């Protein structure tokens, strides 16, 4: 390790190095959302930033909903993932402004939602395509699906109900 790679020192028993930030990002990419277990916190854009502050690893999180009951579970999972990887005292910051936007969901996240049978949020207006058969002949069953951030839809063509991850 070159001295120039040092970012912080004297924490969790070793010196931090330039590998720690990409390493932390890949750890976060393995922490799944409690409500939609096929997408990670990075896929959803919940992890906003990872940096060093005062020699500690700091992860900035913006929950999808400020009142989302999954927020505490997300923080626990993030802390656990970092601690298991040897980051002894991670600092988690919850950032509420700007508010989370469904536009922050990555392309990979959208594809994973679709593969799971959840229609990803669409920013343009118009019908929500069925995740099973791609038909646009769909209807809203309920604005409130299994969780607050989803609505329940039904496809008139294949008759299958599906969740739509709401655009906010
Ligand atoms: Zn369909």
């Amino acid at each position: 390790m070159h001295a120039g790679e040092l970012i912080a020192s004297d924490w969790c028993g070793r010196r931090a190095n330039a590998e720690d930030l990409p390493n932390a990002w890949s750890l976060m990419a393995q922490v799944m959302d409690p409500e939609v277990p096929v997408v990670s916190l990075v896929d959803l854009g919940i992890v906003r930033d990872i940096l060093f502050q005062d020699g500690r690893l700091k992860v900035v999180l913006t929950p999808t909903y400020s009142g989302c009951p999954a927020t505490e579970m997300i923080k626990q999972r993030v802390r656990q993932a970092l601690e298991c990887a040897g980051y002894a005292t991670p600092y988690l910051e919850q950032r509420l402004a700007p508010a989370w936007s469904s536009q922050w969901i990555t392309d990979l996240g959208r594809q994973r939602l679709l593969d799971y049978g959840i229609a990803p949020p669409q920013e343009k207006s118009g019908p929500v395509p069925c995740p099973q058969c791609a038909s646009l002949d769909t209807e809203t069953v309920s604005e409130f699906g299994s969780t607050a951030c989803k609505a329940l839809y039904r496809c008139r063509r294949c008759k299958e109900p599906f969740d739509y991850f709401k655009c906010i």
Side-chain angles (χ1 to χ4, degrees), residues 129-135 137-138 154-160 162:
C130 170
Q132 311 294 337
C133 72
S135 169
D137 190 10
T138 59
R154 196 177 71 96
C155 175
R156 290 199 189 93
R157 192 169 114 189
C158 68
K159 312 289 183 210
E160 288 295 320
F162 65 89

Side-chain angles (χ1 to χ4, degrees), residues 26-92:
S26 58
L27 282 171
M28 292 301 99
Q30 291 162 36
V31 179
M32 295 296 148
D33 181 68
E35 292 185 343
V36 190
V38 291
V39 282
S40 77
L41 302 183
V42 174
D43 292 333
L44 288 175
I46 290 173
V47 178
R48 301 310 302 157
D49 203 3
I50 302 178
L51 58 147
F52 284 106
Q53 187 175 305
D54 303 327
R56 291 165 77 193
L57 193 69
K58 174 170 155 176
V59 177
V60 181
L61 302 165
T62 298
T64 52
Y65 278 77
S66 57
C68 190
T71 303
E72 274 311 306
M73 198 182 291
I74 287 172
K75 283 155 85 174
Q76 274 177 24
R77 288 185 178 192
V78 166
R79 193 173 293 281
Q80 193 176 27
L82 292 169
E83 285 175 359
C84 285
Y87 299 97
T89 54
Y91 174 56
L92 307 187

Side-chain angles (χ1 to χ4, degrees), residues 1 5-9 11-12 14-28 50-52 55-59 82 85-87:
M1 184 167 60
E5 290 174 349
L6 290 177
I7 300 167
S9 63
W11 56 283
C12 62
R14 65 170 178 83
R15 285 171 178 268
N17 64 59
E19 298 299 304
D20 281 313
L21 291 181
N23 187 29
W25 275 107
S26 58
L27 282 171
M28 292 301 99
I50 302 178
L51 58 147
F52 284 106
R56 291 165 77 193
L57 193 69
K58 174 170 155 176
V59 177
L82 292 169
Y87 299 97

